[in-house]
Amino acid sequence: FICEGVSLGEAVREQHGKDESVHRCRPPDVVVFPRCVEEVSALAKVCHKHRLPIIPFGTGTGLEGGVGAVKGGVCFSLRNMEQVLDLHPEDFDVTVEPGVTRKALNAYLRDTGLWFPVDPGADASLCGMAATSASGTNAVRYGTMRENVMNLEVVLADGSIVHTAGKGRRPRKTSAGYNLTNLFVGSEGTLGIITKTTLRLYGIPEAMVSAVCSFPSVQAAVDSTVQTLQAGVPIARIEFLDDVMIDACNRFSSLSYPVTPTLFLEFHGSEQSLQEQVKTAEDITQSNGGSDFQWARDTETRNRLWKARHDAWYAALALRPGCKAYSTDVCVPLSRLPQIIVETKEDLIENRLTGPIAGHVGDGNFHCLMVVDPNNPEEMHRVHLFTERLARISLVFLEDCRHPSSRSLLQG
């Protein structure tokens, strides 16, 4: 049954009750497809009157199960709101509706000399990225969504419409009044439905260079990261993959990198500045035992390299066909990153878990992509205990790990 943008069909409801995560499908009772903010508002008022749960849905590329309708309700699928509304190239900003994805926006901007750099890997919707405060491989240079959202149009639970920085405003500062924009960035659909977002844009760099470098240990790879940042190199991307993850990527993406801890790097700037950045980074990595430094300057080779990094989720899944993946996500001070990764790997081996590691090491952030059989309760239990230990030790590291030993905490 479909009528005027409303669907009760089982297939449609199941499509909107799951994302890319391990969590089972929790379909809503009904899916609606509004075409404008006025329709979103009117539908929200109906839901509010009848006390019906509301679940916003963008592209379904999330990894945390946030779109599951755990108590039923109404799913607001926003794919029909797909307009780029206001582009101000002279002010480096643009306003988009929730159906616009990051790739679609950058295709739209192709002839302007501008781009939007926040890149979580998936071709996610930009309003969904704002709702989840998405990060990604470019965060070390350009920041996360929290630093790049200037204004939001939000429909609240009662159907009222608010503009977090004022209707039509595009301020580059937030010093006047409450910073409502950052209240909603990262709220994950719990405070309202984002129907427009105004974003910062950046000039497309004159040149880009990517590189891959292998290391004898996790410590050497992370030391290179820290020293590169300390040297003032304005690196755009610096990603870490452990030996298990690089092996999975090799198999999945038909690569042939050494199966050791590896850094993927990218530099943006002018041709002259790139030469200086590359020389400094190469000297640092070599001083830490880095080898097999492979450079990629042409667009095709760079895109192939980063596609392999973005396909890490699917590469991990391919290690155990038929299984699902569950991603952990912790962030610690850079100085603690080698220790927590080494101890995490030991914990994975000791508890017979498959968890290749990939990380945005420029920010001290890493993920274990846990590949699990959701139909195996004993394995799922071991995964849950592992994630609890990992969260606990990361919190201790954030407090400087001054009192209890990190080792005893990880062991539980």
Side-chain angles (χ1 to χ4, degrees), residues 37 40 56-58 76 78 81 96-99 125-133 145 149 151-156 162 164 181 183-199:
V37 65
V40 175
F57 189 96
F76 283 52
L78 303 169
M81 299 172 66
V96 300
E97 290 186 323
S125 66
L126 291 158
C127 287
M129 288 168 60
T132 58
S133 192
M145 288 299 287
V149 174
N151 196 358
L152 295 170
E153 178 186 80
V154 183
V155 176
L156 303 181
V162 300
T164 59
T181 301
L183 177 64
F184 283 91
V185 173
S187 60
E188 306 206 17
T190 60
L191 299 179
I193 303 172
I194 297 175
T195 52
K196 290 186 185 70
T197 180
T198 301
L199 304 167

Side-chain angles (χ1 to χ4, degrees), residues 18-325:
K18 61 183 178 181
D19 54 17
E20 294 288 332
S21 71
V22 69
H23 303 289
R24 66 186 178 89
C25 178
R26 303 295 292 269
D29 297 314
V30 60
V31 181
V32 296
F33 300 88
R35 294 162 296 184
C36 60
V37 65
E38 289 78 16
E39 290 189 2
V40 175
S41 175
L43 288 164
K45 288 177 181 177
V46 172
C47 293
H48 181 69
K49 179 179 179 180
H50 296 281
R51 300 183 64 84
L52 299 172
I54 295 173
I55 307 97
F57 189 96
T59 57
T61 56
L63 302 177
E64 293 82 27
V67 297
V70 294
K71 294 187 177 181
V74 182
C75 174
F76 283 52
S77 181
L78 303 169
R79 67 187 187 193
N80 291 337
M81 299 172 66
E82 53 182 2
Q83 298 297 311
V84 177
L85 297 172
D86 291 300
L87 172 63
H88 300 93
E90 69 282 2
D91 293 326
F92 293 85
D93 63 62
V94 66
T95 301
V96 300
E97 290 186 323
V100 180
T101 66
R102 66 174 186 87
K103 287 185 179 179
L105 175 60
N106 281 327
Y108 183 91
L109 296 172
R110 186 173 294 133
D111 297 329
T112 67
L114 302 174
W115 73 313
F116 184 70
V118 180
D119 177 5
D123 188 22
S125 66
L126 291 158
C127 287
M129 288 168 60
T132 58
S133 192
S135 179
T137 57
N138 282 318
V140 67
R141 173 75 176 267
Y142 299 99
T144 68
M145 288 299 287
R146 191 169 296 279
E147 290 78 43
N148 287 288
V149 174
M150 302 169 63
N151 196 358
L152 295 170
E153 178 186 80
V154 183
V155 176
L156 303 181
D158 65 354
S160 57
I161 302 171
V162 300
H163 298 85
T164 59
K167 188 173 183 178
R169 294 180 181 173
R170 300 173 285 120
R172 300 186 75 85
K173 290 184 66 178
T174 60
S175 59
Y178 295 115
N179 188 351
L180 294 180
T181 301
N182 276 356
L183 177 64
F184 283 91
V185 173
S187 60
E188 306 206 17
T190 60
L191 299 179
I193 303 172
I194 297 175
T195 52
K196 290 186 185 70
T197 180
T198 301
L199 304 167
R200 295 175 183 265
L201 300 177
Y202 297 81
I204 296 175
E206 176 186 328
M208 301 183 186
V209 175
S210 298
V212 180
C213 186
S214 304
F215 292 87
S217 67
V218 172
Q219 183 77 52
V222 179
D223 284 347
S224 293
T225 301
V226 175
Q227 291 166 20
T228 299
L229 296 174
Q230 289 175 336
V233 177
I235 197 162
R237 307 186 191 191
I238 184 160
E239 296 287 299
F240 170 81
L241 283 74
D242 76 344
D243 54 337
V244 181
M245 190 74 260
I246 201 70
D247 184 43
C249 288
N250 278 346
R251 298 183 190 185
F252 187 81
S253 301
S254 301
L255 303 173
S256 57
Y257 296 122
V259 183
T260 63
T262 301
L263 288 181
F264 285 25
L265 309 95
E266 186 165 280
F267 307 86
H268 296 173
S270 65
E271 290 288 354
Q272 182 177 354
S273 69
L274 282 190
Q275 291 180 12
E276 298 174 357
Q277 293 179 44
V278 167
K279 179 64 168 62
T280 302
E282 194 164 15
D283 289 345
I284 290 171
T285 54
Q286 287 177 353
S287 70
N288 286 292
S291 60
D292 299 296
F293 217 89
Q294 302 179 39
W295 293 103
R297 290 184 176 272
D298 62 283
T299 302
E300 182 180 353
T301 305
R302 285 192 304 100
N303 288 344
R304 186 166 62 249
L305 184 154
W306 288 107
K307 184 177 188 305
R309 167 61 185 89
H310 287 326
D311 285 345
W313 178 263
Y314 304 103
L317 279 171
L319 292 173
R320 295 180 64 188
C323 289
K324 297 287 187 177

Side-chain angles (χ1 to χ4, degrees), residues 350-362:
E350 182 177 332
N351 289 282
R352 309 184 314 282
L353 295 171
T354 303
I357 295 175
H360 313 309
V361 286

